[in-house]
Amino acid sequence: MADIRPTTTPITRRHLLTALAAGAVSMPFIGRARAAETLYINTWGGPWEAAARAILFDPFTAETGIEIRTISPVSFAKLAAQTRSGVYEFDVTTLGVAELGRANKANLIDAYDETKVPAASLWPGAVTLNGINSHAFANIIAYRKDHFPNGGPKSWADFWDTAKFPGARCLQNYPARVLAFALMADGVPADKLFPYDLDRAFKSLDRIKKDVRVWWSQSPQSQQLLRDGEVEMIGMWNTSAQAMVDQNLPVELVFNQAVIDVATWVVARGTPRAESAWRFIEFAVAPERLATFAAKNNYGPMNPASFKFLPPEVVARMPTSPENLAKSVVLDAEKLLPQLDDMAKRFEQWLST
């Protein structure tokens, strides 16, 4: 039987692969709510919220009696403000790796312990910095197949190689991810990536700066740039790129050296609805439910038991599938946390010069 005790160590590719091999099973332990309770959840809005409403929110209300109301978009600033003021606009939110590190350091989120979500409901590596990992997306290379009929870049070193793979590039204006690309392009192996060697990363970025036409900030922007042929290759989210493939556009996804960013459910520290908040999170990461939610938006479930409920062709395009995960790197919140402010400041200055 697999060891299913939760851990507070940062989730790594090794943790995930071990859990996948073990086939950890989630056993939800959801109780009935007191009458007329309401839970407020901070969401990304749009298709994300529509999927969450159908697959997570409404079924949770049906099972527990707790009504869910939403506030969007996800806002770290609001999480910080309400924890300080004691006036709670929302009780639950999801945070990416960098924001999770900041929130935990600033004591903005409720501490996890096994009385809140039983160990039997979780899997190895489920808990990171007082949050419970839900789903993940990958920051990948995508390229126009019609521009590279003989095959395009297969690594970040290829992406950086403008002689072998000519064409306009595009990267996200997000240093915690882009610096990982730069270091791998310079030959740093995945297991030596964290914490970042910032000097080496920025020297690597210097080599490609003139070839990066746009530093994108919103997912639709990244899609439009590749769709219109304004760039031939781009570092973008697998969710956005897969949507273009599903529209029969000539786009190729490269999962080799993908940088995985995990969405983690957290509870706002001090909320009077913490009990219901943790109850919802336990519900949301149950394997079959999470599998359906992840598949809807091209995410990868973090609960390894979720893959049992998905067909092979869907699993194959997920960033946390065993095959894709083995050639990817998962952002390490704890090791990056001390560098976040410095890297953000340096990246902003670097872009402006």
Side-chain angles (χ1 to χ4, degrees):
M1 179 180 235
D3 178 6
I4 54 175
R5 292 172 296 172
T7 175
T8 56
T9 56
I11 189 67
T12 65
R13 180 173 58 176
R14 180 175 295 177
H15 279 127
L16 288 173
L17 291 171
T18 300
L20 287 165
V25 178
S26 175
M27 300 288 291
F29 188 76
I30 309 296
R32 295 294 297 181
R34 292 182 295 275
E37 274 193 78
T38 301
L39 186 67
Y40 296 85
I41 299 181
N42 191 204
T43 83
W44 290 104
W48 191 100
E49 183 172 323
R53 172 66 63 187
I55 299 165
L56 305 178
F57 300 165
D58 289 348
F60 178 74
T61 298
E63 183 162 325
T64 68
I66 301 173
E67 181 184 358
I68 289 181
R69 297 182 184 176
T70 60
I71 296 92
S72 64
V74 169
S75 172
F76 182 91
K78 285 185 178 180
L79 173 66
Q82 67 180 20
T83 304
R84 288 194 298 265
S85 69
V87 179
Y88 288 86
E89 188 174 351
F90 58 83
D91 313 298
V92 181
T93 189
T94 59
L95 297 175
V97 169
E99 291 76 18
L100 175 65
R102 288 194 179 102
N104 191 66
K105 181 181 180 182
N107 198 25
L108 301 179
I109 56 179
D110 195 31
Y112 166 80
D113 64 56
E114 291 186 17
T115 67
K116 294 169 179 172
V117 178
S121 295
L122 300 176
W123 62 95
V127 180
T128 301
L129 298 180
N130 290 310
I132 295 182
N133 300 313
S134 172
H135 53 280
F137 65 92
N139 302 273
I140 63 164
I141 298 169
Y143 65 84
R144 295 279 307 208
K145 292 192 290 185
D146 51 348
H147 187 82
F148 297 103
N150 297 319
K154 299 300 182 186
S155 67
W156 291 109
D158 286 349
F159 192 98
W160 255 242
D161 190 340
T162 57
K164 185 176 180 181
F165 298 99
R169 273 89 163 139
C170 184
L171 290 169
Q172 188 182 9
N173 188 345
Y174 196 101
R177 298 166 189 155
V178 168
L179 294 177
F181 306 159
L183 287 168
M184 286 189 284
D186 202 46
V188 177
D191 61 350
K192 304 293 184 184
L193 204 55
F194 309 110
Y196 292 154
D197 181 336
L198 294 179
D199 290 340
R200 183 172 179 178
F202 281 101
K203 285 180 181 178
S204 179
L205 281 175
D206 285 340
R207 302 195 339 254
I208 200 163
K209 186 176 185 179
K210 64 181 177 58
D211 296 288
V212 178
R213 181 166 294 174
V214 180
W215 295 88
W216 66 269
S217 58
Q218 299 292 329
S219 173
Q221 180 190 16
S222 69
Q223 292 175 310
Q224 193 68 40
L225 288 162
L226 195 60
R227 181 185 293 112
D228 292 351
E230 187 173 342
V231 297
E232 283 73 47
M233 66 184 77
I234 185 171
M236 69 188 299
W237 300 338
N238 77 287
T239 52
S240 305
Q242 185 61 50
M244 299 175 74
V245 172
D246 294 343
Q247 296 165 8
N248 296 316
L249 294 170
V251 172
E252 183 74 17
L253 281 66
V254 179
F255 277 98
N256 183 45
Q257 295 186 327
V259 174
I260 305 290
D261 204 328
V262 179
T264 301
W265 287 111
V266 299
V267 175
R269 183 176 63 83
T271 173
R273 294 171 290 273
E275 181 181 350
S276 296
W278 285 109
R279 192 174 294 171
F280 166 75
I281 292 174
E282 181 187 2
F283 182 91
V285 299
E288 186 170 7
R289 196 169 296 114
L290 181 56
T292 305
F293 176 71
K296 182 70 174 177
N297 286 316
N298 294 314
Y299 295 121
M302 295 301 291
N303 187 338
S306 294
F307 292 110
K308 299 175 184 178
F309 300 95
L310 296 166
E313 64 272 17
V314 172
V315 173
R317 68 189 198 186
M318 287 180 155
T320 57
S321 72
E323 181 180 357
N324 289 331
L325 188 63
K327 52 192 176 187
S328 303
V329 58
V330 182
L331 287 174
D332 190 320
E334 287 191 336
K335 289 183 179 178
L336 288 179
L337 178 59
Q339 298 182 300
L340 290 176
D341 291 340
D342 188 24
M343 76 171 70
K345 185 181 298 183
R346 286 187 64 171
F347 189 72
E348 184 178 359
Q349 292 173 343
W350 179 83
L351 278 181
S352 65
T353 58

